[in-house]
Amino acid sequence: MDKMEKKKGLLVVSFGTSVNETCKKTIDVIEKRLQEEFSEYVVYRAWTSKKIIKKIRERDGVKIDTVAEAMEHMFCDGVEDIMVQPTHVIDGIENEQMTEDVLAYRERFASLRFGKPLLVDKKDLEGVTEAVMEEFGDLSKDEALVFMGHGTVHKAHRIYQALDAEFKNSGYPYVFLGTVEASPSLERLIERVRAYGVKKVRLAPFMVVAGDHALHDMSGDSKKSWKNLFEAAGFEVRCVLKGLGEYRGIQRLYVQHVKEALRKC
């Protein structure tokens, strides 16, 4: 690198996961894809879940930066221009806190740019719908695709409802999106799927990683797991333990969000 050239850093911020296998298939792959697309940048990693960071450090002896630590790290490395790309699904609590943490360091850098999380506007809804359906071209006519999102009390939760509507408006009435921690309730979701008139359900996580929620809340052995509750309601259930981060189309959208952010400057 020319001594006069400014060092550029691309900070990829994820919530994180304690399930190493899904991390390799999702977060690691997204970071690699971004490094390939933006080779002039040095890619850095930060996770927003301090609980998961602590667990990984104690269990595996692996140190993962918080957002603040990553900013300090980049400053010490001599980075001057920073591009921040979250892998967060929505612009909710985690993304807002991440933004606040990054902006606390703005005076230390020559430039600072942010890419959008996965779902923010109409263009994102269309892109995600296309990317998701690329993965599920083998659905049969008597089968519904039901996604488990995370959900939040934040106002950004309504983007999940908008995406559910986007699937149906785009010609996929058999795709349904529910969440673990917010509306619609699982009971209401089961009612909607039953009203559609199918007997088979394919469950998949609408989360970047197929982590604890996918392994336990969605497909686990508990009587309260989505799999068992759908089966108790009379459906034949198949679970897909594949995070959104594994979808090539979703990876492509994160790349696009970086490009869009760079074009604005």
Side-chain angles (χ1 to χ4, degrees), residues 58-226:
E58 293 176 348
R59 186 191 69 193
D60 304 333
V62 175
K63 174 68 171 68
I64 297 171
D65 283 346
T66 63
V67 173
E69 289 169 343
M71 297 300 289
E72 290 282 0
H73 191 174
M74 288 187 288
F75 178 72
C76 291
D77 284 351
V79 173
E80 296 185 49
D81 296 321
I82 293 180
M83 174 69 221
V84 181
Q85 180 55 53
T87 67
H88 298 144
V89 174
I90 66 172
D91 190 13
I93 296 169
E94 293 291 326
N95 207 63
E96 286 185 348
Q97 184 61 57
M98 177 275 292
T99 303
E100 184 178 321
D101 290 345
V102 169
L103 289 176
Y105 289 82
R106 76 183 101 187
E107 300 301 325
R108 298 192 186 186
F109 301 95
S111 68
L112 186 58
R113 304 173 178 88
F114 290 91
K116 299 183 298 181
L118 185 62
L119 278 174
V120 173
D121 53 31
K122 174 66 173 174
K123 182 179 178 182
D124 296 334
L125 293 174
E126 295 170 349
V128 169
T129 297
E130 180 181 351
V132 164
M133 298 318 298
E134 286 176 1
E135 298 288 328
F136 292 95
D138 63 334
L139 285 166
S140 60
K141 294 181 179 180
D142 63 343
E143 187 177 21
L145 174 59
V146 178
F147 282 107
M148 171 190 272
H150 190 276
T152 177
V153 295
H154 192 278
K155 62 183 180 180
H157 179 80
R158 57 192 172 203
I159 198 74
Y160 287 112
Q161 299 165 341
L163 181 60
D164 184 85
E166 182 68 27
F167 279 122
K168 293 168 177 59
N169 292 336
S170 299
Y172 307 110
Y174 46 84
V175 180
F176 300 84
L177 178 59
T179 62
V180 182
E181 298 189 1
S183 61
S185 66
L186 181 55
E187 291 78 11
R188 178 60 180 143
L189 190 60
I190 290 173
E191 288 176 8
R192 290 178 180 176
V193 177
R194 180 182 287 115
Y196 183 67
V198 295
K199 295 296 183 181
K200 297 179 182 179
V201 167
R202 196 177 307 190
L203 291 177
F206 193 80
M207 303 174 190
V208 172
V209 302
D212 284 337
H213 282 304
L215 295 173
H216 302 295
D217 298 314
M218 189 188 84
S219 63
D221 296 329
S222 166
K223 291 181 179 180
K224 293 184 179 180
S225 74
W226 283 31

